[in-house]
Amino acid sequence: MTALSPVLDRLDKSLDQSLARLFDLLKIKSISTDPAFSADCRKAAEWLVADLKTIGFDAAVRDTPGHPMVVAHHDGPAGAPHVLFYGHYDVQPVDPLNLWHDDPFDPKIKETEPGRKVITGRGSADDKGQLMTFVEACRAWKAEHGSLPCRVTILFEGEEESGSPSLKPFLDANAKELKADFALVCDTGMWDETTPAITTTLRGLVGEEITVKAANRDLHSGEYGGAAANPIRILARILADIHDETGRVTIPGFYDGVEETPSQVLKSWEQLGETTETFLGPIGLSVPSGEKGRSVLELVWARPTAEFNGITGGYTGKGFKTVIAAEASAKVSFRLVHKQNPDKIRAAFRKFVEERLPADCSVEFHPHGGSPAIQLSYESPFLTKAKDALSDEWPKPAVMIGSGGSIPVVGDFQTFLGMESLLVGFGLSDDRIHSPNEKYEMSSFHKGQRSWARILDALTR
Amino acid sequence: MTALSPVLDRLDKSLDQSLARLFDLLKIKSISTDPAFSADCRKAAEWLVADLKTIGFDAAVRDTPGHPMVVAHHDGPAGAPHVLFYGHYDVQPVDPLNLWHDDPFDPKIKETEPGRKVITGRGSADDKGQLMTFVEACRAWKAEHGSLPCRVTILFEGEEESGSPSLKPFLDANAKELKADFALVCDTGMWDETTPAITTTLRGLVGEEITVKAANRDLHSGEYGGAAANPIRILARILADIHDETGRVTIPGFYDGVEETPSQVLKSWEQLGETTETFLGPIGLSVPSGEKGRSVLELVWARPTAEFNGITGGYTGKGFKTVIAAEASAKVSFRLVHKQNPDKIRAAFRKFVEERLPADCSVEFHPHGGSPAIQLSYESPFLTKAKDALSDEWPKPAVMIGSGGSIPVVGDFQTFLGMESLLVGFGLSDDRIHSPNEKYEMSSFHKGQRSWARILDALTR
């Protein structure tokens, strides 16, 4: 631990400076899904490149057809592993803005209870705060030792929240440059405030936007109601048909490739102590909405879903308008597990929708990304080393968990770089990522930096 | 016809001036449903009062808890009937604005084909253009004869497009002042471009806004999808349940009070020559959406409906957001016929919704107006006189038709003033009322003025 100790000390002493840097990054409105914020996305990439250069990385903004990538390289000692660190600098939209207690792009430190501080703002947890934990660990290591313990390549993406359209082509075109021994991906969470976690199971994702079109213009519901097709009615019927009474998805072929989770894995999840009450209670719910007879952890980690992420049609302003709209649309996503095939799911969904359309109506589909589920290998020696390093830093030993969310980059690293990923992150379930009032625990930010220092050290042994 | 002829001549000669007045009124953005336009609504009322005073009416803006009424009085000869003319100066919202070819509040005259002109703009047909046909007829009559042939009271409302919340109390409080022999209501249409119509059957309306609430905040669909209730899914299921496979509404008790239309009435409607193809073809549709086995005219004139006028929930912007929304809402309306009871329909709908809610979700209801259907008497002598007068003006004889839309004021005149209404209007089915690119035919505006002059004359005989 001779190399590690001074790095940990330095991270403790430089916390204020590391916070100032994070705040600079959080102030940049890098919302990738909305074209109005394209310049902000580029600004975030440029900020990161400038910062990485101060540490001694060979860093550059790399253009793509969408938002740019950040790629940075730093040498390591001969014989030490070469890691590719991945994070994303783009963030989710902030609407509805009126529900935020503070400006989402003016981060603050708040004391939520005595001795517990959080960092507020969009991106604080997802993923700017997380990626900076690694950057800060590298900075401190370099400052102490003039070098890094491993060879490090960094890849920061700017389209993670909008389906990563440029990622696959970029990995394909730059495979030789980006290939490492394995990837470190920092976009996941801890089990709880005191228990670090390594995520070994990830659901995949298929996103689809559908627009049902009926009449060639908006109609008066008095004049035409009862005779003219109403696209909201058609859309509601289609969406309602997707689940049966037991919560199962009814799209033919949807469960092809879904496996039952081994009983010993289910048992280890049971031991985590999560119940329907502990999981749903904090968000004000009590009845699991998914397939009956399965625990909430199984539902979110190991079962596929169909969710409706947005719907709009007709008059949605204040008051009332007796209109029959010409069209209505919905954003639909599917979480995938095991060997479900994203392309087949998308095709089956489209067929399902088309079969339910009246003869004189039409539908338009717009795809929003697709990725299979990931099951990481429990046998990797890097996994064991990282687990031990995390257990050294935190009050409780690290656990291996599943994740309900997709991190498509993990599949892409496998496909394009032939490389496994180690998923370590410091988010908490109440961080409100993708929601108003996103925050990141001060302990996540501080001990996250220390955790990476420990992991980098452990990987060299 | 000695009194009538010079009035008709004057209306022909003063068409340009009458258009200039209409344009002034159309430029006022009197959207009643949106509080942002309250001042514009008042401005429209003030404009009308000023104009009516120039004709010699005793006119005033009359405050209500909502948008003001316009009430105006003009004496008539002893022994002549006393009529109450009704119209509304408020208009529908204009969204989606990008679909308008011209500014909705900058009216224009356009030649749509050689010899056929239209007046464009929000409110041109519904209802500013219509109400001004009557005002212009009065103006010309007064200018020619220094008097009006009947005693005329005018009532212009400013909340017709937003459920008329102030109308009933206003009629109740001012019943003595407003009571006349019968009402002339100008908010309906012709059968076609050359065939005038008197509307004798009107559907009622119940409007409801429902908001389904699930979790206490927006959720990440990866983190919670499969476990947490999704309000869009719940709402879609509720809406989908409202119609069965044959197009019938499934809400228990919904058809209480609905009568079958007499066969001779159905036969007279058949003779109008309207078919599924002629009715739905122009709006790009071919399959009636309502109850099977009934003609399109029966569906829109004599059958009740449930329509979804708006729906919103979750992320509806560009791109994709993997969110499970905390709530989703829909605007739902029911068109009523015969003796259906609005209060019972509203209560039955609310029960229907509540029965379909998961135990941990809630719903909020917000009512938007309610009125029963109207069936006007075929025996009124005023009806015969007006029918003959219209037949004199237009190329083809006047017909008696139904209307799918509600005109709640007709029921309110019955209830509060004990007075029947004669519904005469000059709109056409392609006027795009409530839609982008609303227009009013120049022939409707011009011959509409002449029609009212003829009707006023006929009523005195």
Side-chain angles (χ1 to χ4, degrees), chain A residues 92 216 218 222 227 230 237 243 283 286-287 289-290 307 311 313 317 319 321 323 331 335 360 435, chain B residues 92 203 216 218 221 226-227 230 237 243 283 286-287 289 307 311 313 317 319 321 331 360 435:
Chain A
Q92 282 274 320
N216 53 23
D218 284 0
N230 184 325
R237 171 64 58 100
H243 296 89
I283 54 168
S286 61
V287 186
S289 66
E307 288 291 354
I311 190 166
K321 185 172 170 180
V323 67
K331 296 181 202 277
R335 298 280 168 183
D360 54 357
S435 295
Chain B
Q92 282 274 321
R203 291 198 287 191
N216 54 22
D218 284 359
S221 76
N230 184 326
R237 172 64 58 99
H243 296 89
I283 55 169
S286 61
V287 186
S289 67
E307 289 291 353
I311 191 166
K321 186 172 169 180
K331 297 182 202 277
D360 55 356
S435 297

mmCIF file of all heavy atoms in Angstrom, chain A residues 92 216 218 222 227 230 237 243 283 286-287 289-290 307 311 313 317 319 321 323 331 335 360 435, chain B residues 92 203 216 218 221 226-227 230 237 243 283 286-287 289 307 311 313 317 319 321 331 360 435:
data_model
loop_
_atom_site.group_PDB
_atom_site.id
_atom_site.type_symbol
_atom_site.label_atom_id
_atom_site.label_comp_id
_atom_site.label_asym_id
_atom_site.label_seq_id
_atom_site.Cartn_x
_atom_site.Cartn_y
_atom_site.Cartn_z
ATOM 1 N N GLN A 92 -29.666 13.971 -19.348
ATOM 2 C CA GLN A 92 -31.082 13.915 -19.707
ATOM 3 C C GLN A 92 -31.688 15.319 -19.780
ATOM 4 O O GLN A 92 -31.187 16.245 -19.146
ATOM 5 C CB GLN A 92 -31.840 13.133 -18.618
ATOM 6 C CG GLN A 92 -31.687 11.643 -18.724
ATOM 7 C CD GLN A 92 -32.706 11.039 -19.680
ATOM 8 O OE1 GLN A 92 -33.860 11.429 -19.707
ATOM 9 N NE2 GLN A 92 -32.252 10.084 -20.476
ATOM 10 N N ASN A 216 -57.016 13.231 -42.378
ATOM 11 C CA ASN A 216 -55.971 14.082 -42.952
ATOM 12 C C ASN A 216 -55.882 15.454 -42.284
ATOM 13 O O ASN A 216 -55.091 16.302 -42.700
ATOM 14 C CB ASN A 216 -56.166 14.206 -44.475
ATOM 15 C CG ASN A 216 -57.562 14.667 -44.854
ATOM 16 O OD1 ASN A 216 -58.250 15.293 -44.034
ATOM 17 N ND2 ASN A 216 -57.990 14.377 -46.068
ATOM 18 N N ASP A 218 -57.110 17.673 -38.244
ATOM 19 C CA ASP A 218 -57.852 17.651 -36.987
ATOM 20 C C ASP A 218 -59.339 17.878 -37.290
ATOM 21 O O ASP A 218 -59.688 18.663 -38.166
ATOM 22 C CB ASP A 218 -57.356 18.757 -36.050
ATOM 23 C CG ASP A 218 -56.024 18.400 -35.393
ATOM 24 O OD1 ASP A 218 -55.507 17.307 -35.668
ATOM 25 O OD2 ASP A 218 -55.525 19.232 -34.617
ATOM 26 N N GLY A 222 -67.741 17.062 -32.503
ATOM 27 C CA GLY A 222 -69.191 17.043 -32.649
ATOM 28 C C GLY A 222 -69.579 16.679 -34.065
ATOM 29 O O GLY A 222 -70.448 15.846 -34.306
ATOM 30 N N ALA A 227 -68.143 8.788 -36.214
ATOM 31 C CA ALA A 227 -67.916 8.302 -37.578
ATOM 32 C C ALA A 227 -66.426 8.219 -37.901
ATOM 33 O O ALA A 227 -65.967 7.255 -38.514
ATOM 34 C CB ALA A 227 -68.620 9.220 -38.579
ATOM 35 N N ASN A 230 -60.473 7.825 -34.330
ATOM 36 C CA ASN A 230 -59.752 8.677 -33.383
ATOM 37 C C ASN A 230 -58.409 8.007 -33.075
ATOM 38 O O ASN A 230 -58.372 6.933 -32.475
ATOM 39 C CB ASN A 230 -60.589 8.826 -32.114
ATOM 40 C CG ASN A 230 -59.972 9.781 -31.114
ATOM 41 O OD1 ASN A 230 -58.758 9.853 -30.993
ATOM 42 N ND2 ASN A 230 -60.810 10.503 -30.403
ATOM 43 N N ARG A 237 -55.749 1.477 -27.513
ATOM 44 C CA ARG A 237 -56.084 0.059 -27.665
ATOM 45 C C ARG A 237 -54.815 -0.765 -27.918
ATOM 46 O O ARG A 237 -54.628 -1.838 -27.337
ATOM 47 C CB ARG A 237 -57.095 -0.093 -28.815
ATOM 48 C CG ARG A 237 -57.385 -1.523 -29.254
ATOM 49 C CD ARG A 237 -58.038 -2.354 -28.161
ATOM 50 N NE ARG A 237 -59.295 -1.801 -27.670
ATOM 51 C CZ ARG A 237 -60.509 -2.219 -28.032
ATOM 52 N NH1 ARG A 237 -60.627 -3.190 -28.915
ATOM 53 N NH2 ARG A 237 -61.588 -1.666 -27.518
ATOM 54 N N HIS A 243 -49.909 -5.731 -22.659
ATOM 55 C CA HIS A 243 -49.795 -6.522 -21.432
ATOM 56 C C HIS A 243 -51.084 -7.298 -21.190
ATOM 57 O O HIS A 243 -52.170 -6.776 -21.421
ATOM 58 C CB HIS A 243 -49.556 -5.623 -20.212
ATOM 59 C CG HIS A 243 -48.279 -4.872 -20.243
ATOM 60 N ND1 HIS A 243 -48.162 -3.625 -20.828
ATOM 61 C CD2 HIS A 243 -47.047 -5.173 -19.761
ATOM 62 C CE1 HIS A 243 -46.905 -3.192 -20.700
ATOM 63 N NE2 HIS A 243 -46.206 -4.107 -20.060
ATOM 64 N N ILE A 283 -41.151 5.220 -3.318
ATOM 65 C CA ILE A 283 -41.710 5.971 -4.451
ATOM 66 C C ILE A 283 -43.235 6.016 -4.385
ATOM 67 O O ILE A 283 -43.898 6.391 -5.349
ATOM 68 C CB ILE A 283 -41.224 5.406 -5.811
ATOM 69 C CG1 ILE A 283 -41.510 3.899 -5.926
ATOM 70 C CG2 ILE A 283 -39.735 5.673 -5.998
ATOM 71 C CD1 ILE A 283 -41.330 3.351 -7.335
ATOM 72 N N SER A 286 -47.059 0.260 -3.945
ATOM 73 C CA SER A 286 -47.081 -0.948 -3.124
ATOM 74 C C SER A 286 -47.345 -2.229 -3.922
ATOM 75 O O SER A 286 -47.146 -3.320 -3.408
ATOM 76 C CB SER A 286 -48.154 -0.816 -2.037
ATOM 77 O OG SER A 286 -49.427 -0.651 -2.630
ATOM 78 N N VAL A 287 -47.777 -2.107 -5.170
ATOM 79 C CA VAL A 287 -48.160 -3.282 -5.961
ATOM 80 C C VAL A 287 -47.213 -3.424 -7.157
ATOM 81 O O VAL A 287 -47.207 -2.560 -8.035
ATOM 82 C CB VAL A 287 -49.606 -3.140 -6.480
ATOM 83 C CG1 VAL A 287 -50.044 -4.430 -7.167
ATOM 84 C CG2 VAL A 287 -50.558 -2.755 -5.371
ATOM 85 N N SER A 289 -45.945 -4.019 -10.709
ATOM 86 C CA SER A 289 -46.750 -3.942 -11.937
ATOM 87 C C SER A 289 -46.395 -5.045 -12.927
ATOM 88 O O SER A 289 -47.091 -5.234 -13.910
ATOM 89 C CB SER A 289 -46.532 -2.591 -12.608
ATOM 90 O OG SER A 289 -45.194 -2.497 -13.062
ATOM 91 N N GLY A 290 -45.301 -5.771 -12.673
ATOM 92 C CA GLY A 290 -44.844 -6.771 -13.643
ATOM 93 C C GLY A 290 -45.461 -8.134 -13.412
ATOM 94 O O GLY A 290 -46.478 -8.274 -12.722
ATOM 95 N N GLU A 307 -42.453 -0.760 -21.634
ATOM 96 C CA GLU A 307 -42.858 0.443 -20.908
ATOM 97 C C GLU A 307 -43.239 1.536 -21.904
ATOM 98 O O GLU A 307 -42.710 1.596 -23.013
ATOM 99 C CB GLU A 307 -41.711 0.966 -20.026
ATOM 100 C CG GLU A 307 -41.414 0.128 -18.795
ATOM 101 C CD GLU A 307 -42.499 0.150 -17.722
ATOM 102 O OE1 GLU A 307 -43.475 0.917 -17.846
ATOM 103 O OE2 GLU A 307 -42.344 -0.636 -16.759
ATOM 104 N N ILE A 311 -46.498 9.796 -24.181
ATOM 105 C CA ILE A 311 -47.657 9.700 -25.076
ATOM 106 C C ILE A 311 -48.176 11.099 -25.300
ATOM 107 O O ILE A 311 -48.160 11.931 -24.385
ATOM 108 C CB ILE A 311 -48.743 8.771 -24.476
ATOM 109 C CG1 ILE A 311 -49.831 8.465 -25.514
ATOM 110 C CG2 ILE A 311 -49.356 9.368 -23.217
ATOM 111 C CD1 ILE A 311 -50.739 7.316 -25.115
ATOM 112 N N GLY A 313 -51.175 13.436 -27.909
ATOM 113 C CA GLY A 313 -52.107 13.509 -29.025
ATOM 114 C C GLY A 313 -53.227 14.471 -28.683
ATOM 115 O O GLY A 313 -53.577 14.636 -27.519
ATOM 116 N N GLY A 317 -53.365 21.414 -23.851
ATOM 117 C CA GLY A 317 -53.207 22.667 -23.112
ATOM 118 C C GLY A 317 -54.243 22.784 -22.004
ATOM 119 O O GLY A 317 -54.930 21.827 -21.663
ATOM 120 N N GLY A 319 -57.738 23.931 -20.206
ATOM 121 C CA GLY A 319 -59.104 23.942 -20.698
ATOM 122 C C GLY A 319 -59.419 22.738 -21.555
ATOM 123 O O GLY A 319 -58.808 21.669 -21.394
ATOM 124 N N LYS A 321 -60.745 21.214 -25.555
ATOM 125 C CA LYS A 321 -60.944 21.447 -26.984
ATOM 126 C C LYS A 321 -61.574 20.192 -27.560
ATOM 127 O O LYS A 321 -60.998 19.118 -27.467
ATOM 128 C CB LYS A 321 -59.600 21.759 -27.640
ATOM 129 C CG LYS A 321 -59.698 22.143 -29.095
ATOM 130 C CD LYS A 321 -58.348 22.634 -29.618
ATOM 131 C CE LYS A 321 -58.396 22.777 -31.121
ATOM 132 N NZ LYS A 321 -57.124 23.246 -31.684
ATOM 133 N N VAL A 323 -61.783 18.268 -30.032
ATOM 134 C CA VAL A 323 -61.113 17.959 -31.291
ATOM 135 C C VAL A 323 -60.891 16.452 -31.393
ATOM 136 O O VAL A 323 -60.727 15.767 -30.385
ATOM 137 C CB VAL A 323 -59.761 18.721 -31.341
ATOM 138 C CG1 VAL A 323 -58.794 18.184 -30.301
ATOM 139 C CG2 VAL A 323 -59.128 18.658 -32.716
ATOM 140 N N LYS A 331 -43.955 6.943 -27.157
ATOM 141 C CA LYS A 331 -42.591 6.425 -27.083
ATOM 142 C C LYS A 331 -42.652 5.160 -26.232
ATOM 143 O O LYS A 331 -43.096 5.198 -25.091
ATOM 144 C CB LYS A 331 -41.658 7.460 -26.479
ATOM 145 C CG LYS A 331 -41.539 8.727 -27.346
ATOM 146 C CD LYS A 331 -40.577 9.724 -26.734
ATOM 147 C CE LYS A 331 -40.834 11.150 -27.233
ATOM 148 N NZ LYS A 331 -40.231 11.476 -28.515
ATOM 149 N N ARG A 335 -37.233 -3.432 -22.192
ATOM 150 C CA ARG A 335 -36.008 -3.867 -21.513
ATOM 151 C C ARG A 335 -35.844 -5.346 -21.799
ATOM 152 O O ARG A 335 -36.790 -6.121 -21.618
ATOM 153 C CB ARG A 335 -36.115 -3.630 -20.001
ATOM 154 C CG ARG A 335 -36.268 -2.178 -19.611
ATOM 155 C CD ARG A 335 -34.944 -1.444 -19.629
ATOM 156 N NE ARG A 335 -35.160 -0.006 -19.530
ATOM 157 C CZ ARG A 335 -34.183 0.882 -19.574
ATOM 158 N NH1 ARG A 335 -32.914 0.511 -19.715
ATOM 159 N NH2 ARG A 335 -34.454 2.169 -19.480
ATOM 160 N N ASP A 360 -58.157 2.103 -42.673
ATOM 161 C CA ASP A 360 -57.907 3.422 -43.264
ATOM 162 C C ASP A 360 -56.937 4.277 -42.448
ATOM 163 O O ASP A 360 -56.799 5.466 -42.702
ATOM 164 C CB ASP A 360 -59.225 4.172 -43.469
ATOM 165 C CG ASP A 360 -60.053 4.273 -42.195
ATOM 166 O OD1 ASP A 360 -59.629 3.711 -41.167
ATOM 167 O OD2 ASP A 360 -61.113 4.910 -42.224
ATOM 168 N N SER A 435 -34.809 12.406 -13.465
ATOM 169 C CA SER A 435 -35.957 13.080 -12.846
ATOM 170 C C SER A 435 -35.538 14.472 -12.371
ATOM 171 O O SER A 435 -34.354 14.795 -12.336
ATOM 172 C CB SER A 435 -36.438 12.288 -11.610
ATOM 173 O OG SER A 435 -36.933 11.031 -11.972
ATOM 174 N N GLN B 92 -61.648 29.105 -30.703
ATOM 175 C CA GLN B 92 -60.816 27.973 -30.265
ATOM 176 C C GLN B 92 -59.335 28.368 -30.258
ATOM 177 O O GLN B 92 -58.932 29.280 -30.971
ATOM 178 C CB GLN B 92 -60.989 26.811 -31.253
ATOM 179 C CG GLN B 92 -62.269 26.037 -31.064
ATOM 180 C CD GLN B 92 -62.105 24.952 -30.023
ATOM 181 O OE1 GLN B 92 -61.064 24.296 -29.948
ATOM 182 N NE2 GLN B 92 -63.118 24.772 -29.202
ATOM 183 N N ARG B 203 -76.699 17.090 -30.420
ATOM 184 C CA ARG B 203 -76.176 16.218 -29.364
ATOM 185 C C ARG B 203 -75.735 17.042 -28.153
ATOM 186 O O ARG B 203 -75.289 18.178 -28.295
ATOM 187 C CB ARG B 203 -74.995 15.400 -29.892
ATOM 188 C CG ARG B 203 -75.440 14.373 -30.923
ATOM 189 C CD ARG B 203 -74.405 13.288 -31.137
ATOM 190 N NE ARG B 203 -73.248 13.764 -31.878
ATOM 191 C CZ ARG B 203 -72.314 12.963 -32.376
ATOM 192 N NH1 ARG B 203 -72.384 11.652 -32.200
ATOM 193 N NH2 ARG B 203 -71.299 13.460 -33.033
ATOM 194 N N ASN B 216 -44.577 8.737 -6.724
ATOM 195 C CA ASN B 216 -44.529 10.119 -6.254
ATOM 196 C C ASN B 216 -43.520 10.987 -7.008
ATOM 197 O O ASN B 216 -43.313 12.145 -6.690
ATOM 198 C CB ASN B 216 -44.273 10.159 -4.743
ATOM 199 C CG ASN B 216 -43.020 9.370 -4.350
ATOM 200 O OD1 ASN B 216 -42.138 9.148 -5.193
ATOM 201 N ND2 ASN B 216 -42.935 8.939 -3.097
ATOM 202 N N ASP B 218 -41.161 11.087 -11.163
ATOM 203 C CA ASP B 218 -40.775 10.397 -12.384
ATOM 204 C C ASP B 218 -39.670 9.395 -12.058
ATOM 205 O O ASP B 218 -38.796 9.658 -11.229
ATOM 206 C CB ASP B 218 -40.254 11.396 -13.422
ATOM 207 C CG ASP B 218 -41.387 12.173 -14.081
ATOM 208 O OD1 ASP B 218 -42.556 11.929 -13.753
ATOM 209 O OD2 ASP B 218 -41.078 13.013 -14.939
ATOM 210 N N SER B 221 -36.841 4.185 -16.244
ATOM 211 C CA SER B 221 -37.546 2.956 -16.632
ATOM 212 C C SER B 221 -36.643 1.730 -16.552
ATOM 213 O O SER B 221 -37.132 0.608 -16.524
ATOM 214 C CB SER B 221 -38.130 3.094 -18.034
ATOM 215 O OG SER B 221 -37.129 2.980 -19.014
ATOM 216 N N GLY B 226 -40.955 -2.672 -14.772
ATOM 217 C CA GLY B 226 -41.304 -4.051 -14.451
ATOM 218 C C GLY B 226 -41.818 -4.167 -13.028
ATOM 219 O O GLY B 226 -42.532 -5.107 -12.699
ATOM 220 N N ALA B 227 -41.461 -3.200 -12.189
ATOM 221 C CA ALA B 227 -41.925 -3.223 -10.795
ATOM 222 C C ALA B 227 -42.898 -2.069 -10.516
ATOM 223 O O ALA B 227 -43.901 -2.250 -9.844
ATOM 224 C CB ALA B 227 -40.742 -3.150 -9.836
ATOM 225 N N ASN B 230 -46.995 2.125 -14.245
ATOM 226 C CA ASN B 230 -46.800 3.144 -15.277
ATOM 227 C C ASN B 230 -48.166 3.771 -15.586
ATOM 228 O O ASN B 230 -49.065 3.102 -16.105
ATOM 229 C CB ASN B 230 -46.208 2.487 -16.523
ATOM 230 C CG ASN B 230 -45.887 3.489 -17.612
ATOM 231 O OD1 ASN B 230 -46.577 4.488 -17.784
ATOM 232 N ND2 ASN B 230 -44.820 3.215 -18.347
ATOM 233 N N ARG B 237 -55.141 1.470 -20.765
ATOM 234 C CA ARG B 237 -56.041 0.354 -20.503
ATOM 235 C C ARG B 237 -57.466 0.854 -20.236
ATOM 236 O O ARG B 237 -58.438 0.322 -20.745
ATOM 237 C CB ARG B 237 -55.507 -0.458 -19.307
ATOM 238 C CG ARG B 237 -56.435 -1.540 -18.778
ATOM 239 C CD ARG B 237 -56.715 -2.643 -19.776
ATOM 240 N NE ARG B 237 -55.527 -3.318 -20.246
ATOM 241 C CZ ARG B 237 -55.070 -4.495 -19.798
ATOM 242 N NH1 ARG B 237 -55.742 -5.126 -18.867
ATOM 243 N NH2 ARG B 237 -53.978 -5.042 -20.295
ATOM 244 N N HIS B 243 -64.576 1.317 -25.302
ATOM 245 C CA HIS B 243 -65.323 0.835 -26.472
ATOM 246 C C HIS B 243 -65.147 -0.678 -26.607
ATOM 247 O O HIS B 243 -64.058 -1.194 -26.379
ATOM 248 C CB HIS B 243 -64.802 1.487 -27.759
ATOM 249 C CG HIS B 243 -64.995 2.959 -27.825
ATOM 250 N ND1 HIS B 243 -64.060 3.843 -27.332
ATOM 251 C CD2 HIS B 243 -66.004 3.708 -28.321
ATOM 252 C CE1 HIS B 243 -64.493 5.084 -27.533
ATOM 253 N NE2 HIS B 243 -65.661 5.040 -28.128
ATOM 254 N N ILE B 283 -61.997 13.526 -45.655
ATOM 255 C CA ILE B 283 -61.032 13.637 -44.556
ATOM 256 C C ILE B 283 -60.063 12.453 -44.570
ATOM 257 O O ILE B 283 -59.322 12.235 -43.618
ATOM 258 C CB ILE B 283 -61.735 13.760 -43.183
ATOM 259 C CG1 ILE B 283 -62.707 12.604 -42.946
ATOM 260 C CG2 ILE B 283 -62.436 15.099 -43.055
ATOM 261 C CD1 ILE B 283 -63.226 12.514 -41.512
ATOM 262 N N SER B 286 -62.269 5.885 -44.484
ATOM 263 C CA SER B 286 -63.228 5.063 -45.216
ATOM 264 C C SER B 286 -64.050 4.132 -44.321
ATOM 265 O O SER B 286 -65.040 3.577 -44.760
ATOM 266 C CB SER B 286 -62.492 4.215 -46.264
ATOM 267 O OG SER B 286 -61.570 3.347 -45.625
ATOM 268 N N VAL B 287 -63.625 3.954 -43.058
ATOM 269 C CA VAL B 287 -64.298 2.995 -42.180
ATOM 270 C C VAL B 287 -64.953 3.741 -41.009
ATOM 271 O O VAL B 287 -64.247 4.349 -40.199
ATOM 272 C CB VAL B 287 -63.280 1.983 -41.599
ATOM 273 C CG1 VAL B 287 -64.004 0.898 -40.811
ATOM 274 C CG2 VAL B 287 -62.409 1.377 -42.690
ATOM 275 N N SER B 289 -66.085 4.644 -37.480
ATOM 276 C CA SER B 289 -65.491 4.154 -36.226
ATOM 277 C C SER B 289 -66.542 3.823 -35.178
ATOM 278 O O SER B 289 -66.233 3.241 -34.154
ATOM 279 C CB SER B 289 -64.538 5.206 -35.668
ATOM 280 O OG SER B 289 -65.274 6.350 -35.275
ATOM 281 N N GLU B 307 -65.293 10.174 -26.932
ATOM 282 C CA GLU B 307 -64.115 10.540 -27.722
ATOM 283 C C GLU B 307 -62.983 10.985 -26.804
ATOM 284 O O GLU B 307 -63.222 11.513 -25.724
ATOM 285 C CB GLU B 307 -64.429 11.696 -28.685
ATOM 286 C CG GLU B 307 -65.324 11.336 -29.856
ATOM 287 C CD GLU B 307 -64.678 10.409 -30.882
ATOM 288 O OE1 GLU B 307 -63.463 10.122 -30.791
ATOM 289 O OE2 GLU B 307 -65.406 9.962 -31.793
ATOM 290 N N ILE B 311 -54.405 13.630 -25.008
ATOM 291 C CA ILE B 311 -53.738 12.717 -24.065
ATOM 292 C C ILE B 311 -52.298 13.184 -23.921
ATOM 293 O O ILE B 311 -51.687 13.647 -24.891
ATOM 294 C CB ILE B 311 -53.815 11.251 -24.552
ATOM 295 C CG1 ILE B 311 -53.360 10.277 -23.454
ATOM 296 C CG2 ILE B 311 -53.009 11.050 -25.831
ATOM 297 C CD1 ILE B 311 -53.727 8.835 -23.751
ATOM 298 N N GLY B 313 -48.542 12.437 -21.373
ATOM 299 C CA GLY B 313 -47.861 11.822 -20.237
ATOM 300 C C GLY B 313 -46.426 11.510 -20.608
ATOM 301 O O GLY B 313 -46.127 11.252 -21.770
ATOM 302 N N GLY B 317 -41.046 15.270 -25.923
ATOM 303 C CA GLY B 317 -40.188 16.106 -26.754
ATOM 304 C C GLY B 317 -39.493 15.289 -27.839
ATOM 305 O O GLY B 317 -39.837 14.133 -28.093
ATOM 306 N N GLY B 319 -36.524 13.125 -29.595
ATOM 307 C CA GLY B 319 -35.641 12.098 -29.057
ATOM 308 C C GLY B 319 -36.365 11.184 -28.097
ATOM 309 O O GLY B 319 -37.584 11.002 -28.191
ATOM 310 N N LYS B 321 -36.589 9.494 -23.941
ATOM 311 C CA LYS B 321 -36.234 9.578 -22.529
ATOM 312 C C LYS B 321 -36.823 8.346 -21.850
ATOM 313 O O LYS B 321 -38.028 8.136 -21.903
ATOM 314 C CB LYS B 321 -36.817 10.869 -21.941
ATOM 315 C CG LYS B 321 -36.390 11.136 -20.520
ATOM 316 C CD LYS B 321 -36.832 12.520 -20.074
ATOM 317 C CE LYS B 321 -36.647 12.693 -18.589
ATOM 318 N NZ LYS B 321 -37.051 14.006 -18.103
ATOM 319 N N LYS B 331 -58.110 14.092 -21.918
ATOM 320 C CA LYS B 331 -59.368 14.838 -21.991
ATOM 321 C C LYS B 331 -60.354 13.958 -22.764
ATOM 322 O O LYS B 331 -60.080 13.548 -23.884
ATOM 323 C CB LYS B 331 -59.140 16.170 -22.700
ATOM 324 C CG LYS B 331 -58.180 17.091 -21.937
ATOM 325 C CD LYS B 331 -58.016 18.429 -22.634
ATOM 326 C CE LYS B 331 -56.726 19.137 -22.237
ATOM 327 N NZ LYS B 331 -56.800 19.887 -21.002
ATOM 328 N N ASP B 360 -52.630 1.056 -5.614
ATOM 329 C CA ASP B 360 -51.720 2.105 -5.129
ATOM 330 C C ASP B 360 -51.683 3.333 -6.034
ATOM 331 O O ASP B 360 -50.823 4.188 -5.861
ATOM 332 C CB ASP B 360 -50.313 1.532 -4.921
ATOM 333 C CG ASP B 360 -49.766 0.867 -6.167
ATOM 334 O OD1 ASP B 360 -50.499 0.774 -7.173
ATOM 335 O OD2 ASP B 360 -48.609 0.423 -6.134
ATOM 336 N N SER B 435 -59.868 23.640 -36.205
ATOM 337 C CA SER B 435 -58.650 23.099 -36.826
ATOM 338 C C SER B 435 -57.827 24.245 -37.411
ATOM 339 O O SER B 435 -58.310 25.369 -37.542
ATOM 340 C CB SER B 435 -59.013 22.146 -37.966
ATOM 341 O OG SER B 435 -59.710 21.037 -37.496
#
